[in-house]
Amino acid sequence: MEPSIWKFAMLTLLPLICVQQGRVPTHKLRTWLALFAASIAAHVVTPAVGHVPLLWYIVIDTAAAWIVLARPAGIAQKLIGLLFAAMVLFHVGVLMRGAEHANGIYYAFQMSAGWAQFLVLAGWSGNDVGRSVWRRLGGGVHSAAGQADIGTRR
């Protein structure tokens, strides 16, 4: 199994996910693990040559979506789960037409959906880290008097 840029990108997200206000957000880590495990599993079942194991891809993506959407599921998790559902529908469509129809459009969609999932997770993690830094720098603390002053200035 050769390493891919996507896997390296996912590994770079891990510190952003794990370092947030001194705690590990299990829902975010669960989402990261589901995405990464689905990628590894897809590479394990993909033969070097021969047929495309569409049934295995359907099982892998359905299981990953189920893990991501387990409660509590926020907006980012729902988007990632929706992308997994779209990937499954694409697998089913190609399976119905025949695996020999797994062409460039199929692979481009699967790759684009994977990168979209990465971007959603990166945005979610970056937003949380940004808010934590903002709070630490004192940007999240306002006095009632300060808020009143801002509202009365012209």
Side-chain angles (χ1 to χ4, degrees):
M1 170 177 44
E2 101 268 349
S4 69
I5 294 172
W6 187 90
K7 286 183 190 70
F8 286 126
M10 284 293 287
L11 288 173
T12 63
L13 272 185
L14 203 49
L16 280 178
I17 291 169
C18 290
V19 181
Q20 293 182 7
Q21 296 179 339
R23 62 177 178 77
V24 177
T26 55
H27 56 291
K28 198 174 293 175
L29 188 57
R30 181 186 73 219
T31 302
W32 183 91
L33 284 169
L35 283 165
F36 202 72
S39 175
I40 298 293
H43 276 94
V44 168
V45 301
T46 301
V49 292
H51 74 285
V52 179
L54 291 167
L55 289 175
W56 278 110
Y57 292 163
I58 291 168
V59 169
I60 291 166
D61 288 345
T62 301
W66 182 78
I67 292 167
V68 168
L69 293 173
R71 296 207 181 264
I75 294 171
Q77 288 171 298
K78 289 176 184 172
L79 285 171
I80 291 169
L82 182 65
L83 286 164
F84 270 126
M87 292 168 83
V88 168
L89 289 175
F90 231 82
H91 296 317
V92 169
V94 171
L95 185 64
M96 289 172 62
R97 286 195 68 200
E100 67 275 2
H101 294 286
N103 57 21
I105 294 170
Y106 168 78
Y107 293 111
F109 175 80
Q110 297 298 330
M111 190 168 52
S112 298
W115 278 107
Q117 290 171 324
F118 168 82
L119 290 174
V120 170
L121 186 58
W124 179 22
S125 300
N127 180 50
D128 288 351
V129 169
R131 285 190 299 167
S132 294
V133 169
W134 181 253
R135 272 189 237 114
R136 277 190 177 239
L137 295 175
V141 179
H142 297 290
S143 67
Q147 289 177 352
D149 288 344
I150 290 171
T152 58
R153 290 185 187 163
R154 292 183 184 206

